[in-house]
Amino acid sequence: MRLLRRMTSFLGRIPLLNAAVALIGLLLGLIFMVTPLEAEQQAWLALGGFLVFLIVNRFPGRAPSFFLVALSSMISLRYLYWRVTETLGYSGYIATFLGTGLLLAEVYAILALLLSYFQQAWPLERKPVPLPPDTEDWPVVDIFIPSYNEPLEVVKPSVFGAMSMDWPRDKMNIYVLDDGRREDFRAFCEEVGCGYMIRPDNKGAKAGNINHALGKTNGEYVAIFDCDHVPVRAFLQLTIGWMLRDREIGMLQTPHHFYSPDPFERNLASGTRIPNEGLLFYGLVQQGNDLWNATFFCGSCAVLRRTALEEVGGVPTQTVTEDCHCSLKMQRLGWRTAYLRLPLAAGLATDRLLAHIGQRMRWARGMIQILRVDNPLFGRGLNLAQRLCYLNAQWHFLFPLPRVVFLTSPLAFLLFGENIIAASPLAIVAYAGPHVVHSVVTNSRLQGKVRHSFWSEIYETVLALYLLPVVMTTLLDPTKGKFNVTDKGGTLQDGYFDIRAVGPNLVLGGALVLGLMSGIYGMVANPPSSLQFQANALNAVWVLLSLVTVLAGLAVGRERRQIRERHRVAARVPVAVVLADGRRLEGESIDLSLGGAALTVARPEVLPEGMVSLEFDIGTEFVPVPAETLRWQGNRLQVRFAPRGLLDEGNIVRVVLGRADAWLHWDDVRADRPLRAMLEVVLSVGGLFRGNSQLSLRARRARRKERAAQARAGRAPLAQPASSLGEAP
């Protein structure tokens, strides 16, 4: 009994011990951050810190990761303390203005770094929950597919995918919410047996469309899919379980996965060897949010509890990012939100850089609107962790101004002779170097499977100059701006350089080239031992890094030819090719698209002509698809699907996009290596200068003539034009 009392007493003191250890750690960290050192001493400290990282980074697990996060945070805060206390001795008004701007940009970046560490250090690994064994106990679910101006060919697969979900038919109601009020949509829905709904006006855009449908339906749960997102057959079976287990969950989100490449993947030289831009958010950030009960609603691929939606008054219409605002309102009222890191639907990515920029402009405007009209730091209902997670979502979209400041700051010295950091070049390198290096390598450890080093800089650089006026005007007046629809699904017969998408960065690149030339001249004109030489060298390196980032962003603007209307996806699906004479050849798919497939099948001695029947084994059944053979080279057969009606079209969607295991390898990318990633960024610049026969002036002129002839003949052009930045009414 005495031993038991001692153990109980010791265990009771553990929280006190933890608090004491934490307090000692904070005191040691504070001493580390504020202790002044000469530049040479700081350089040695920086070297020691990097050696500590190399040693600790060899050990797997969360404990070493937490240590490295703490180390990186202290080094960054030490740098910020040094900047504030020792580098603000400016010599004039211009230097004071520019130097203060740079300092504020650094404060923003370090706060963003600390918030990301808090959000991402411990992602929650949520698993699916089984449903009740009796399907009579399964709830009624309403599926909403809102649409505005998208073509029917884009929306059809989403409808077919929703209708193919494994759920009792009397407990699943599917509605196309058509704000375009199109007769071909109505006829299609009637033919396939899908609900069709319109409303008298378009108030509130997508949010208003959903709210109107809420008033006309009564299912216990609502699943929402963007009209280009196709759910897999297991979507409801893998998501509803959590809603039944935890009645306090108001919304469960799943990833937005895109089976077509975005402009960065398609146009940059390294292509799909890098993670998709959205993989960081859906592959890590949302899991971190889930740990703190702060998962965001993302507008699609999610299940919502009707009572929670009704309690917050429906999807909010005050902002253009109504989805995130909706989950924030749910959280304020005490509802929980959840995230399941399983890709259970897939859609089309933005296919032109200009459309991509327009989409991000809407996101930026909406997040800043939330920051202004419903700031998560204030108001009732959220705990501190939730406030920080929601704040980080809005804080991120303030990046355009700091990004522009970081890119252009070296020009203050190189072009105008203004010293905006009052310190020696050695001191700047000794203090700033560890901050930059540790933030890069620590983020690489945390994010290495979902985001490669230095690519965030390219993404932000491409967007910064376009988003800057949007962010600034929305901060001043959050009521400005309307919901805009992102165009998707176009083709491009000839590649071209989209000056509209990268024009501002082209001007910025020219200014950086002038700065680099000035820095080189300054190094040549001064002896290597002089401070002038060192200052020119430091700023020349800085401006060179900025220039590489800008040039890589310009390379994204070289739109590559895209003649495929249907995007291929790699897929190994067993298939039998049934020939006209009854012969049956077993094989396997190599890749699939909604238009056709490449198959591995033993070539027969007598080749078939014309039509064949394909029977795909999708696990629970064989799905027949009629097809036409195109070519048979060795054991590789290429076919074009030849649907004879809506049933065949639906079967094609089930095979290509609706399989339960269709997207299990969505995050199968190489782990990050910062030095390799830096080299890939540099090599991606080559895409800007790489010649292409389709980009020739003659090809562009011929294409323009062809389009003009088609217009005169009253025909639609073969290639859809790149979408503009204009907003839908």
Side-chain angles (χ1 to χ4, degrees), residues 323-392:
D323 39 20
C324 180
H325 200 185
C326 181
S327 57
L328 175 60
K329 285 181 172 292
M330 286 183 179
Q331 296 280 0
R332 287 196 185 282
L333 294 180
W335 289 98
R336 297 175 55 80
T337 59
Y339 181 66
L340 189 63
R341 193 187 185 275
L342 282 176
L344 301 176
L348 295 170
T350 50
D351 50 10
R352 299 288 176 270
L353 180 58
L354 207 61
H356 187 88
I357 293 172
Q359 183 186 67
R360 268 43 178 190
M361 288 170 66
R362 175 172 65 85
W363 292 1
R365 178 181 287 117
M367 287 300 187
I368 302 304
Q369 285 176 328
I370 295 175
L371 187 68
R372 284 293 316 277
V373 304
D374 196 6
N375 193 308
L377 283 181
F378 309 109
R380 298 179 179 179
L382 302 181
N383 59 40
L384 178 60
Q386 290 172 318
R387 294 177 194 272
L388 293 178
C389 288
Y390 276 102
L391 174 66
N392 196 29

Side-chain angles (χ1 to χ4, degrees), residues 273-275 448 450-456 670-672 677 680:
R273 291 183 295 167
I274 62 170
V450 294
R451 173 64 57 85
H452 286 178
S453 301
F454 309 110
W455 286 92
S456 291
R670 307 174 300 174
D672 177 41
E680 289 180 344

Side-chain angles (χ1 to χ4, degrees), residues 494 693-705:
D494 301 317
S693 60
Q694 280 83 28
L695 297 176
S696 67
L697 180 61
R698 179 181 301 175
R700 292 199 298 271
R701 286 176 177 172
R703 186 62 191 148
R704 282 197 295 268
K705 290 180 180 179

Side-chain angles (χ1 to χ4, degrees), residues 22 36 177 212 266 271 365 404 429 612 646:
L177 313 181
H212 174 266
R266 190 182 66 254
R365 178 181 287 117
V404 172
V429 172
V612 296
L646 292 178

Side-chain angles (χ1 to χ4, degrees), residues 66-81:
F66 289 151
F67 176 84
L68 294 177
V69 163
L71 178 63
S72 174
S73 301
M74 288 190 298
I75 288 174
S76 294
L77 291 173
R78 174 173 173 79
Y79 168 70
L80 186 60
Y81 178 81

Side-chain angles (χ1 to χ4, degrees), residues 517-668:
M517 294 171 61
S518 175
I520 294 173
Y521 174 80
M523 288 189 289
V524 173
N526 294 280
S529 59
S530 67
L531 288 178
Q532 279 294 319
F533 177 91
Q534 296 173 15
N536 275 281
L538 176 61
N539 283 280
V541 171
W542 186 349
V543 83
L544 178 62
L545 295 175
S546 297
L547 182 60
V548 170
T549 305
V550 170
L551 291 178
L554 292 177
V556 186
R558 183 177 282 280
E559 296 286 2
R560 299 183 183 275
R561 187 185 186 197
Q562 173 60 42
I563 59 174
R564 291 188 179 277
E565 296 181 357
R566 307 291 192 173
H567 295 276
R568 292 182 178 182
V569 294
R572 298 288 183 178
V573 180
V575 61
V577 180
V578 182
L579 306 182
D581 58 8
R583 285 178 294 167
R584 184 183 181 90
L585 307 176
E586 301 294 335
E588 185 181 52
S589 66
I590 300 172
D591 57 54
L592 300 168
S593 78
L594 294 177
L599 312 174
T600 299
V601 182
R603 176 175 174 170
E605 295 183 2
V606 180
L607 293 180
E609 295 183 2
M611 301 293 294
V612 296
S613 178
L614 306 178
E615 294 182 1
F616 290 93
D617 181 1
I618 61 172
T620 58
E621 60 181 314
F622 289 90
V623 179
V625 175
E628 176 187 359
T629 59
L630 298 179
R631 63 186 62 88
W632 207 321
Q633 298 174 327
N635 290 335
R636 181 186 176 95
L637 170 63
Q638 288 185 280
V639 298
R640 178 191 295 120
F641 295 144
R644 293 164 296 198
L646 292 178
L647 178 60
D648 288 338
E649 291 184 36
N651 283 341
I652 292 171
V653 172
R654 293 170 62 199
V655 169
V656 179
L657 305 177
R659 305 184 322 277
D661 61 347
W663 314 117
L664 293 183
H665 302 291
W666 70 305
D667 58 351
D668 187 13

Side-chain angles (χ1 to χ4, degrees), residues 42-261:
Q42 172 63 24
W44 283 108
L45 179 64
L47 179 61
F50 187 64
L51 290 176
V52 170
F53 172 85
L54 292 178
I55 294 172
V56 177
N57 192 48
R58 296 178 63 87
F59 296 94
R62 283 197 168 129
S65 295
F66 289 151
F67 176 84
L68 294 177
V69 163
L71 178 63
S72 174
S73 301
M74 288 190 298
I75 288 174
S76 294
L77 291 173
R78 174 173 173 79
Y79 168 70
L80 186 60
Y81 178 81
W82 172 78
R83 283 283 281 121
V84 172
T85 58
E86 298 189 31
T87 68
L88 304 184
Y90 303 120
S91 58
Y93 293 112
I94 296 178
T96 300
F97 175 77
L98 297 177
T100 303
L102 176 60
L103 177 63
L104 292 176
E106 291 178 300
V107 171
Y108 165 86
I110 289 175
L111 286 178
L113 178 70
L114 298 180
L115 285 172
S116 70
Y117 283 161
F118 170 79
Q119 195 175 40
Q120 301 169 20
W122 196 315
L124 180 64
E125 299 285 348
R126 188 184 295 268
K127 304 298 182 184
V129 169
L131 290 164
D134 187 354
T135 58
E136 291 298 319
D137 296 329
W138 294 10
V140 176
V141 183
D142 293 328
I143 291 90
F144 293 165
I145 304 175
S147 175
Y148 172 61
N149 63 354
E150 301 83 0
L152 182 58
E153 291 305 312
V154 169
V155 182
K156 274 184 177 182
S158 300
V159 174
F160 287 132
M163 296 183 70
S164 299
M165 287 192 291
D166 292 330
W167 202 257
R169 289 298 174 265
D170 60 334
K171 296 192 174 189
M172 182 175 66
N173 307 306
I174 303 167
Y175 301 94
V176 173
L177 313 181
D178 183 19
D179 261 1
R181 303 172 188 84
R182 292 155 291 186
E183 286 303 318
D184 57 337
F185 273 63
R186 181 190 297 274
F188 167 74
C189 291
E190 290 178 353
E191 190 171 358
V192 299
C194 166
Y196 177 81
M197 195 177 299
I198 61 174
R199 55 185 177 137
D201 55 53
N202 285 16
K203 291 182 180 179
K206 177 182 176 182
N209 198 4
I210 293 172
N211 291 337
H212 174 266
L214 283 173
K216 302 293 184 180
T217 56
N218 55 17
E220 185 179 354
Y221 298 96
V222 174
I224 299 176
F225 298 97
D226 282 346
C227 64
D228 64 303
H229 274 110
V230 182
V232 303
R233 58 187 299 178
F235 182 91
L236 292 177
Q237 290 194 5
L238 293 175
T239 55
I240 295 295
W242 271 108
M243 310 297 282
L244 297 178
R245 168 181 284 192
D246 188 344
R247 294 289 176 174
E248 294 183 357
I249 292 179
M251 187 279 303
L252 184 139
Q253 180 69 55
T254 68
H256 288 194
H257 174 61
F258 302 101
Y259 62 89
S260 65

